[in-house]
Amino acid sequence: MMVCNANNAIMRVTDAAEFITLWTVSFDREAETATCVDSGHGYCAIVRAGGEIEQVQIDGGPPVGVVPDFPYEGITVPFHPGDRMVIFSDGLAEQQGSDTSEMFNFERVIESLQKSGGESEDVNRLYEALEEFAGGRPWQDDVTIMSVSFDDQ
């Protein structure tokens, strides 16, 4: 509901060509879940405390500010103490390599995160992997990366 309200508010104060991509998450520490809503952002991984890495896939919806009264819906996923949620923009996933039209893609995200030990390292490893993959080529889009977790304290 929050994203639906934000969508309509943004539509009232912006031009038709202005929009916001957004990944919204609400953590329920007691239930050990995360409820995620994708508004045109599209990329999220969960690094489990045991080391497994999962892609969070949501049908999602358009960016905020594009379709009036769009019924954004989320999904709820398990999110336990020690898990990390890594959210990133299409600028990371869709960056092309230095000598190919191949994109960075989710497999490289998983590879980059496999040996990471925490939130800051998640972000740093992904930026370093992107720089190496791009091979000095300018980034084609802005890149945003965030990693969050909670412990049982």
Side-chain angles (χ1 to χ4, degrees):
M1 182 60 110
M2 177 181 69
V3 177
C4 297
N5 291 338
N7 178 57
N8 289 333
I10 294 295
M11 291 200 72
R12 284 193 299 272
V13 298
T14 59
D15 293 329
E18 296 177 312
F19 60 87
I20 300 168
T21 63
L22 183 68
W23 182 278
T24 307
V25 61
S26 175
F27 296 101
D28 183 332
R29 291 175 60 119
E30 188 174 303
E32 295 187 355
T33 60
T35 300
C36 307
V37 177
D38 176 21
S39 311
H41 194 77
Y43 298 97
C44 179
I46 295 180
V47 181
R48 298 289 178 197
E52 307 85 23
I53 301 172
E54 303 170 11
Q55 183 174 7
V56 177
Q57 296 185 337
I58 303 176
D59 289 338
V64 170
V66 174
V67 179
D69 299 316
F70 189 85
Y72 294 96
E73 293 185 24
I75 63 164
T76 300
V77 296
F79 194 77
H80 306 288
D83 291 347
R84 299 188 312 275
M85 183 172 285
V86 183
I87 304 164
F88 51 96
S89 64
D90 59 351
L92 175 75
E94 297 173 6
Q95 173 65 44
Q96 293 179 337
S98 60
D99 58 355
T100 178
S101 62
E102 182 180 6
M103 293 184 195
F104 189 80
N105 70 42
F106 200 79
E107 289 75 30
R108 285 186 180 83
V109 170
I110 291 172
E111 185 179 303
S112 300
L113 294 174
Q114 282 179 336
K115 295 180 182 172
S116 181
E119 298 93 335
S120 293
E121 191 175 349
D122 293 342
V123 173
N124 291 335
R125 282 178 171 271
L126 286 171
Y127 274 121
E128 289 169 5
L130 182 63
E131 282 286 338
E132 183 178 326
F133 180 74
R137 183 179 186 173
W139 293 355
Q140 297 160 289
D141 198 355
D142 62 295
V143 174
T144 303
I145 305 169
M146 179 177 74
S147 179
V148 296
S149 67
F150 71 82
D151 57 32
D152 57 359
Q153 302 293 319

